Amino acid sequence: MKINSLVDLLGSPDLKNQNLVLITKKSKDIKEELDDAVKLALSNQFYFLDGDRIRSEDEFYVELIQKMPYINGFGNNVDAVIDLIRTLSYGVNSKRQHQIFWYHPQCLLSNHPVFYTEVVDALLGTLREISCGSDIEMEESPEEFWDWEPTKARCILFGNEQLLNEKYDYTRLHSPFWDKLFHDRSSNTKVIRLD
């Protein structure tokens, strides 16, 4: 795949506010193609998580906080991931467009499938929370949302077919935690095969 087609896909108006899981039959090395010009074209804030460096829970937290250094004393747990993503909707961050691009997430999935599904659920759920707005239970506490504006943020997972081998449904949120916030457990995520 040429980088122009990847940029077109990621910049498509139809997919603008959706998280994406991009599946390839073989692993394609696009790291070098994601140069500064491409990052600027895609968003103000581009966070490239190198999955080849994420084979354990600890390595995930190290990579995440290096690429998204918004919390001092990051807690190294899934709750801290939720807190970190929520910072994208605060202050000047809320005015930016955020793209989390996780390259080769199957490396973590292979080694720690339970943690992988927990952290993906936290990422996708929190991104829905800060970006969709209309599904939030505003009628229960309208005073909390009177000045609320959705933040433009999404996650793109780019990996091989192993991401589907675990039968994990990326279009659904799995933790009952999200029942407190949403009418349903849709993750606003689309799975796309590239080959």
Side-chain angles (χ1 to χ4, degrees):
M1 166 177 282
K2 294 180 180 176
I3 189 60
N4 288 341
S5 59
L6 181 60
V7 170
D8 290 344
L9 175 67
L10 297 182
S12 167
D14 295 336
L15 302 174
K16 190 174 181 181
N17 296 317
Q18 290 190 310
N19 300 306
L20 300 173
V21 180
L22 306 180
I23 305 293
T24 63
K25 288 183 181 173
K26 56 183 184 246
S27 182
K28 296 183 178 183
D29 189 357
I30 61 163
K31 287 184 196 178
E32 294 178 9
E33 297 175 345
L34 289 165
D35 59 14
D36 291 338
V38 172
K39 295 173 190 177
L40 288 172
L42 291 176
S43 70
N44 300 106
Q45 297 296 116
F46 187 94
Y47 316 99
F48 186 91
L49 304 182
D50 187 350
D52 290 335
R53 299 173 56 173
I54 304 173
R55 297 178 184 275
S56 70
E57 187 172 338
D58 288 341
E59 288 173 347
F60 171 79
Y61 293 130
V62 167
E63 180 75 2
L64 183 67
I65 202 61
Q66 283 180 349
K67 300 301 172 62
M68 302 181 69
Y70 292 117
I71 293 181
N72 291 329
F74 181 74
N76 288 1
N77 56 58
V78 175
D79 288 340
V81 172
I82 292 172
D83 291 341
L84 176 62
I85 301 305
R86 283 178 173 163
T87 65
L88 302 182
S89 65
Y90 300 158
V92 295
N93 287 338
S94 66
K95 311 289 187 212
R96 299 171 178 158
Q97 295 182 346
H98 304 273
Q99 307 248 7
I100 303 166
F101 194 101
W102 187 350
Y103 176 79
H104 283 182
Q106 71 270 6
C107 298
L108 181 61
L109 174 60
S110 298
N111 292 297
H112 296 281
V114 173
F115 173 70
Y116 172 83
T117 56
E118 288 175 355
V119 80
V120 166
D121 194 69
L123 280 171
L124 299 182
T126 312
L127 286 166
R128 178 180 172 188
E129 176 188 352
I130 67 173
S131 64
C132 72
S134 61
D135 293 332
I136 293 179
E137 305 273 2
M138 293 188 190
E139 65 274 7
E140 290 187 11
S141 53
E143 69 281 358
E144 293 184 26
F145 298 100
W146 68 272
D147 62 347
W148 187 87
E149 291 183 17
T151 298
K152 294 175 182 171
R154 69 174 176 175
C155 182
I156 297 117
L157 305 176
F158 185 98
N160 63 28
E161 290 188 326
Q162 185 181 350
L163 295 181
L164 300 178
N165 289 343
E166 300 294 322
K167 306 292 188 253
Y168 182 78
D169 184 359
Y170 293 93
T171 66
R172 310 297 304 161
L173 299 173
H174 300 274
S175 170
F177 172 81
W178 302 114
D179 292 338
K180 302 173 194 171
L181 294 174
F182 307 124
H183 294 293
D184 60 46
R185 289 200 196 173
S186 167
S187 70
N188 194 32
T189 302
K190 184 178 281 275
V191 177
I192 298 175
R193 290 181 177 271
L194 297 178
D195 325 270

